[in-house]
Amino acid sequence: ILNWQCIYDKIENVVRRRKPSSGRVKRAALKNEYDRDPEMRKKMEAYVLDLQSRIVTALEEIEDEGDEASAAFDGVERRPGKKFRRDPWERPNGRGHGLTCVIQDGSVFEKGGVNVSVIYGDLPKAVLERMSAYQTNMELEKVKSMKFCAIGLSMVIHPRNPHAPTFHCNYRYFDTDNGGMWWFGGGSDLTPSYLYEEDAVHFHTVLKNACDKFGEDLYAEFKTTCDLYFRNTHRNNEMRGIGGVFFDDFDRFEASKSFEMAKSLGNSVIESYCPLVRRRKDTPFTENQKRWQQLRRGRYVEFNLLHDRGTKFGIAMPDARTESILMSLPLTARWEYKHSPEVGTEEAKLMDAVLTPKDWVSL
Amino acid sequence: ILNWQCIYDKIENVVRRRKPSSGRVKRAALKNEYDRDPEMRKKMEAYVLDLQSRIVTALEEIEDEGDEASAAFDGVERRPGKKFRRDPWERPNGRGHGLTCVIQDGSVFEKGGVNVSVIYGDLPKAVLERMSAYQTNMELEKVKSMKFCAIGLSMVIHPRNPHAPTFHCNYRYFDTDNGGMWWFGGGSDLTPSYLYEEDAVHFHTVLKNACDKFGEDLYAEFKTTCDLYFRNTHRNNEMRGIGGVFFDDFDRFEASKSFEMAKSLGNSVIESYCPLVRRRKDTPFTENQKRWQQLRRGRYVEFNLLHDRGTKFGIAMPDARTESILMSLPLTARWEYKHSPEVGTEEAKLMDAVLTPKDWVSL
């Protein structure tokens, strides 16, 4: 039970958030404003499996093209055309299943994974009791337990070339059998070692377009959430990269429209990222630039292991599939004592971008 | 205030532990059985600074000797004789000071640090109030705040050669101005990439000898604590290495004798570790052995960032000196999806040792 603390805490937070701060506690306070769609689990699973397949295909096409610069750099002939390893898995006793797709030591992609997981769990009585402390009048009092389901795609790609950025995204759906809770969460974000402003503008513009159909302020809201979330608080609050979008506990529209919004962002993954890798993967680079990339990957590791809620939640789960969770880590990383780029360099320009959020789409 | 949560939690735990579980709550329950030595801060600081100087000298002597195998391996001529960089630092407003000694990219030592820190802090009223909830009758009720001091040496050394083990130790003292709390904590542990049983026996025997003068069961107790603490719980509970000793909240003897015990272990650092580096640093190694070392360093990073209380406490402190705390990370590390050594190999032998604690001194 202790190991599930993360998800319990999260659910409690959502419940707290939904509790009217004053006035009579309403019976429906725990429930979403909009009803849950009983077919949503099926729809979401079908969607993320299809998205995963499309993303893997798109990345394999890039992998086929090779990275001339890396071959020239280290003299290692890597045959292009490496495929993702497809690794289906199942949790015992019908508690979930998934498909992990991993690429490693490719010609273009040093390491990366696209993972779909479907997890079934059960909130125990103790958690339900804590919940009913917030609402004296809730249906849950009569329930012995609450089954939930979490379905998502998560993806991290670390290209070999220091000029090509690292990409991460995660799109997920959560609901409960009874109690009527449901929400979507997710986001995409970019982590370059070197800043190309036109790449940042492209990335953020694609994300903004994906959001705009659903509300004109959504992009700005999700971008801010992303900038605030992906921060190495122990490193002077520097961001992991140049951001993107991030949202959580999303149930603001009815279920079908919320799903459409998540899909709109999920569908933007290939367009937001693939052109950037193509644009940069053959750019020649130096020993120093490779070293800088490795130092930035060290920061990536620090964020993922020290701060990321997804990682913490993941490894704390009973029967956690550690290899699927930690596939987000790069193939290699580096740490130097007190390394700091010199003023006026390209490395310093990247540091400026991760220390101060920018409004990329207006550039 | 939130940022100090770790140390507050810890102090609360100590207070809870000391609270008599039944019977009348005694006035002295919060206080140690033995009085605090008002001179101990001075004595401890002088001791760890002297120990740091002796350790740095001993390691620089080894660095002078070079590592023939690493030079042959990567063809890089590294001039032996690299010195530790000495980096004194101060926290603003008299809240502490320290001396960080770091070596990086040496001939024998890839990265390492020996750090002394003296931290002054103040427990705020809210924490004191929570404390007095445990004892209605405590003197603390009259106190507005409680100043504390934490003094320690911590050290991590990652040699270049995969046959030479990584070493970590930490020896520290904590006390409060009023309230009379004090304790020692610390330990030494070894993390080889390849298991040499005679090295493990040497290491544990030196530690046992350092403990035995103070009680015949101490070594066994501290070894078990160490084996239980340095575990990657998300990796099937594998230990970070082959253990050593670890103790915390130690006030079982009067202050002077407790100090002698901590010193006995601190003084054993050089004898426990230096002969092992000398024995292994020139052992030839292959590409595969270097890769295995890098994978084990990945596990080291995982433990330090995901689980280590010292790291978590450190980076959560206001004005944390992140560079001193994360000097524990190796120069480079590696992660591969689902890497697992083949049965019967030297790598599998190491895995067996980290998955099953052994009674090294009886071998």
Side-chain angles (χ1 to χ4, degrees):
Chain A
I1 286 177
L2 187 71
N3 283 345
W4 286 88
Q5 209 52 53
C6 291
I7 199 161
Y8 302 158
D9 288 353
K10 184 168 158 53
I11 292 170
E12 278 198 61
N13 281 337
V14 172
V15 172
R16 261 199 205 105
R17 183 170 60 83
R18 289 181 184 164
K19 184 188 163 188
S21 56
S22 64
R24 190 175 151 270
V25 175
K26 277 176 290 186
R27 187 155 188 268
L30 175 68
K31 294 182 64 173
N32 298 54
E33 186 179 348
Y34 299 105
D35 284 341
R36 142 175 124 79
D37 175 352
E39 299 297 304
M40 189 57 82
R41 292 182 186 181
K42 248 191 269 181
K43 292 179 195 168
M44 183 67 176
E45 181 170 349
Y47 172 67
V48 290
L49 281 170
D50 175 64
L51 178 62
Q52 178 185 42
S53 160
R54 285 186 283 140
I55 291 172
V56 164
T57 302
L59 294 172
E60 285 181 346
E61 279 168 20
I62 299 178
E63 176 61 27
D64 282 347
E65 296 164 17
D67 164 355
E68 284 174 27
S70 289
F73 173 74
D74 56 16
V76 178
E77 276 278 358
R78 286 176 201 89
R79 268 246 300 272
K82 192 132 195 166
K83 299 294 171 204
F84 275 79
R85 163 178 173 177
R86 276 127 173 115
D87 213 357
W89 50 268
E90 230 171 290
R91 301 179 72 216
N93 307 318
R95 286 183 296 115
H97 57 274
L99 176 60
T100 297
C101 297
V102 175
I103 193 164
Q104 195 168 279
D105 216 11
S107 155
V108 177
F109 298 114
E110 198 161 79
K111 186 148 170 254
V114 190
N115 188 31
V116 161
S117 63
V118 179
I119 303 288
Y120 300 100
D122 202 342
L123 295 173
K125 202 150 191 301
V127 178
L128 296 173
E129 273 163 10
R130 282 192 294 165
M131 279 184 172
S132 45
Y134 306 125
Q135 11 202 101
T136 46
N137 193 14
M138 73 189 242
E139 288 179 276
L140 285 173
E141 279 177 348
K142 297 169 206 149
V143 205
K144 286 279 169 292
S145 74
M146 200 201 290
K147 291 189 195 310
F148 68 86
C149 179
I151 300 168
L153 174 145
S154 67
M155 159 181 177
V156 177
I157 298 287
H158 299 285
R160 195 173 284 284
N161 193 304
H163 296 283
T166 284
F167 172 81
H168 160 255
C169 76
N170 179 298
Y171 291 97
R172 58 189 183 275
Y173 170 72
F174 175 97
D175 75 11
T176 58
D177 273 15
N178 39 25
M181 282 195 285
W182 64 268
W183 63 76
F184 287 89
S188 296
D189 68 284
L190 198 71
T191 308
S193 297
Y194 287 96
L195 180 66
Y196 290 93
E197 286 187 6
E198 63 270 35
D199 293 3
V201 171
H202 166 89
F203 186 74
H204 277 270
T205 304
V206 172
L207 294 177
K208 182 171 187 301
N209 292 341
C211 293
D212 279 356
K213 307 164 214 176
F214 300 88
E216 57 179 9
D217 298 327
L218 282 183
Y219 165 75
E221 177 191 336
F222 294 172
K223 178 194 186 293
T224 305
T225 309
C226 184
D227 286 342
L228 291 173
Y229 178 70
F230 291 101
R231 274 173 192 269
N232 269 324
T233 49
H234 64 292
R235 294 279 195 189
N236 195 20
N237 262 329
E238 71 179 44
M239 297 187 291
R240 190 172 71 171
I242 57 154
V245 293
F246 189 59
F247 60 99
D248 207 354
D249 307 336
F250 193 91
D251 61 350
R252 212 175 299 168
F253 310 136
E254 56 175 330
S256 63
K257 190 178 169 189
S258 297
F259 182 37
E260 288 306 315
M261 190 196 77
K263 282 202 291 186
S264 176
L265 278 162
N267 293 339
S268 77
V269 164
I270 294 171
E271 189 195 344
S272 71
Y273 180 57
C274 290
L276 306 184
V277 188
R278 279 217 166 78
R279 211 182 269 176
R280 305 299 166 199
K281 71 181 176 56
D282 298 303
T283 312
F285 56 90
T286 65
E287 191 83 51
N288 260 342
Q289 289 172 329
K290 187 72 190 171
R291 190 170 131 233
W292 174 247
Q293 177 203 51
Q294 293 297 301
L295 290 165
R296 295 311 299 167
R297 295 223 159 132
R299 296 288 214 270
Y300 207 89
V301 171
E302 287 177 27
F303 179 82
N304 286 20
L305 300 185
L306 281 172
H307 303 298
D308 186 52
R309 290 196 298 257
T311 305
K312 277 186 204 179
F313 164 59
I315 66 158
M317 286 223 309
D319 312 308
R321 199 166 186 277
T322 299
E323 290 290 347
S324 293
I325 300 159
L326 296 187
M327 80 182 186
S328 66
L329 300 179
L331 190 66
T332 54
R334 183 177 182 91
W335 287 269
E336 292 180 19
Y337 180 71
K338 274 190 165 179
H339 184 280
S340 180
E342 278 170 51
V343 180
T345 58
E346 286 298 307
E347 291 79 13
K349 194 172 126 193
L350 189 270
M351 289 313 294
D352 173 57
V354 298
L355 284 167
T356 318
K358 313 247 182 272
D359 182 12
W360 296 109
V361 293
S362 307
L363 282 188
Chain B
I1 285 179
L2 187 71
N3 283 346
W4 286 89
Q5 209 52 51
C6 290
I7 198 160
Y8 302 158
D9 288 352
K10 185 170 157 52
I11 292 170
E12 277 198 61
N13 281 338
V14 172
V15 171
R16 261 200 205 105
R17 183 169 61 80
R18 288 182 185 165
K19 183 189 164 188
S21 55
S22 65
R24 192 173 150 269
V25 175
K26 278 175 289 185
R27 188 157 187 268
L30 176 70
K31 292 183 66 174
N32 298 54
E33 187 180 344
Y34 300 104
D35 284 341
R36 150 173 118 77
D37 174 352
E39 298 297 305
M40 189 56 80
R41 293 181 185 182
K42 247 191 273 180
K43 292 180 197 167
M44 183 68 177
E45 181 171 348
Y47 171 68
V48 290
L49 282 170
D50 175 66
L51 179 61
Q52 178 186 43
S53 160
R54 284 186 284 139
I55 290 172
V56 164
T57 302
L59 293 173
E60 285 180 344
E61 279 169 18
I62 298 179
E63 176 61 26
D64 282 348
E65 296 165 18
D67 164 356
E68 284 174 26
S70 288
F73 174 75
D74 55 15
V76 178
E77 276 279 0
R78 288 177 200 88
R79 268 244 305 267
K82 191 131 198 166
K83 299 293 171 203
F84 276 78
R85 164 178 173 178
R86 276 125 173 116
D87 212 357
W89 49 269
E90 229 171 291
R91 301 180 73 216
N93 307 319
R95 287 182 296 117
H97 56 274
L99 177 59
T100 297
C101 297
V102 175
I103 192 164
Q104 194 167 282
D105 217 11
S107 156
V108 176
F109 298 113
E110 197 160 78
K111 185 148 170 254
V114 191
N115 189 31
V116 161
S117 62
V118 179
I119 303 288
Y120 299 99
D122 202 343
L123 295 172
K125 201 150 192 296
V127 178
L128 295 174
E129 273 162 11
R130 283 192 294 163
M131 279 183 174
S132 46
Y134 306 124
Q135 11 203 101
T136 46
N137 193 12
M138 73 189 245
E139 287 178 275
L140 286 173
E141 277 175 351
K142 296 170 209 152
V143 204
K144 286 279 169 289
S145 75
M146 200 202 291
K147 292 188 194 310
F148 68 85
C149 179
I151 300 167
L153 174 145
S154 67
M155 158 181 179
V156 177
I157 297 287
H158 299 285
R160 194 174 283 285
N161 193 305
H163 297 283
T166 284
F167 172 81
H168 160 254
C169 75
N170 177 298
Y171 290 96
R172 58 193 181 273
Y173 170 72
F174 175 97
D175 75 11
T176 58
D177 273 16
N178 38 25
M181 282 196 287
W182 64 267
W183 64 75
F184 287 89
S188 297
D189 67 284
L190 198 71
T191 307
S193 297
Y194 286 96
L195 179 66
Y196 290 93
E197 286 187 8
E198 63 270 36
D199 292 3
V201 171
H202 167 89
F203 186 74
H204 278 270
T205 304
V206 170
L207 294 177
K208 182 171 187 302
N209 291 342
C211 294
D212 279 356
K213 305 165 216 175
F214 299 89
E216 58 178 10
D217 298 327
L218 282 183
Y219 165 75
E221 177 190 337
F222 294 172
K223 178 194 186 292
T224 304
T225 308
C226 184
D227 286 342
L228 292 173
Y229 178 70
F230 291 102
R231 273 173 193 268
N232 269 324
T233 50
H234 64 293
R235 294 277 195 191
N236 196 19
N237 262 329
E238 71 180 46
M239 298 187 291
R240 188 171 73 173
I242 57 155
V245 293
F246 189 59
F247 60 98
D248 207 354
D249 307 335
F250 193 92
D251 61 351
R252 212 175 299 170
F253 311 136
E254 56 175 327
S256 63
K257 190 176 168 189
S258 298
F259 182 39
E260 288 305 316
M261 191 195 75
K263 283 202 291 187
S264 175
L265 278 162
N267 292 340
S268 77
V269 165
I270 294 171
E271 189 195 344
S272 71
Y273 181 57
C274 290
L276 306 184
V277 189
R278 280 216 165 79
R279 212 182 270 177
R280 306 297 165 198
K281 71 181 175 55
D282 298 303
T283 311
F285 57 90
T286 65
E287 191 83 49
N288 261 341
Q289 289 171 329
K290 187 71 189 172
R291 190 170 132 234
W292 174 247
Q293 178 204 49
Q294 294 296 301
L295 290 166
R296 296 312 299 167
R297 294 219 162 137
R299 297 288 213 271
Y300 206 89
V301 171
E302 287 178 25
F303 178 83
N304 286 21
L305 300 185
L306 281 172
H307 304 297
D308 186 52
R309 292 196 296 257
T311 304
K312 279 186 202 180
F313 165 60
I315 67 158
M317 285 223 312
D319 311 308
R321 200 167 187 278
T322 299
E323 290 290 348
S324 293
I325 298 160
L326 296 188
M327 81 181 185
S328 66
L329 300 180
L331 189 65
T332 55
R334 183 177 182 91
W335 286 270
E336 293 181 19
Y337 180 71
K338 275 191 165 180
H339 184 281
S340 180
E342 279 170 52
V343 179
T345 58
E346 286 298 308
E347 291 79 12
K349 193 173 127 194
L350 189 269
M351 289 313 294
D352 174 57
V354 299
L355 285 166
T356 319
K358 313 247 183 271
D359 182 11
W360 296 109
V361 292
S362 307
L363 282 186

